[in-house]
Amino acid sequence: MGDDERQDEQHKVVLAHALYLANLLLAPGIAFLLLCWCRRRWHGQATPRLAEALHQSWGASWRAGLLLVPLALSGLLLDPSRAAGWLPLILSFLALHAVLALMGIAALARVLADQPFCYPLPGLWRHRQEH
């Protein structure tokens, strides 16, 4: 692999993990759709390292959604006049969101250092391939 190809691969790997973070922090849904588009577009030409990065970031993104969206929507079931019911919901959402964001920051830091990262979420625990 040439130097330009290696640099292009590195940019794509970083973008995949940055889109995971953007989905959590900046543009939920839009960043996920962009990540899905990147995954589909690069799938055929992906190196093992890029394929693993796409698998990790996409898998972590939809798992984060499965954890956060129902928690956020459960607030609709609460009586708005009972503030005591909102406190545990808000605290648990913020704590979970913070943990997921810290995982994304750790992933981005590792790939910027040219090291592999595996999100500690079910189904993503092991690397399928090392680079």
Side-chain angles (χ1 to χ4, degrees):
M1 180 181 296
D3 214 22
D4 288 339
E5 292 169 337
R6 175 85 173 126
Q7 191 173 15
D8 185 48
E9 177 198 45
Q10 176 68 7
H11 288 308
K12 289 176 180 177
V13 168
V14 168
L15 179 62
H17 290 287
L19 284 172
Y20 166 80
L21 267 178
N23 186 42
L24 277 174
L25 302 174
L26 297 174
I30 296 170
F32 182 72
L33 291 175
L34 281 171
L35 182 58
C36 290
W37 179 81
C38 290
R39 185 173 184 252
R40 183 179 166 103
R41 177 164 169 81
W42 299 334
H43 179 70
Q45 64 189 18
T47 62
R49 181 172 180 250
L50 177 57
E52 182 64 18
L54 291 168
H55 169 73
Q56 287 287 317
S57 57
W58 180 79
S61 290
W62 71 261
R63 284 167 174 84
L66 284 178
L67 293 169
L68 290 173
V69 170
L71 189 59
L73 292 177
S74 66
L76 298 174
L77 301 174
L78 293 175
D79 181 9
S81 63
R82 295 193 57 221
W86 284 93
L87 186 61
L89 179 69
I90 292 170
L91 289 177
S92 59
F93 181 86
L94 289 175
L96 181 58
H97 191 268
V99 167
L100 292 169
L102 286 173
M103 285 188 324
I105 292 167
L108 192 56
R110 296 264 312 183
V111 298
L112 284 171
D114 204 17
Q115 298 175 350
F117 183 80
C118 181
Y119 287 92
L121 293 169
L124 299 174
W125 289 323
R126 290 190 204 140
H127 291 287
R128 291 186 306 189
Q129 299 173 358
E130 292 292 326
H131 70 282

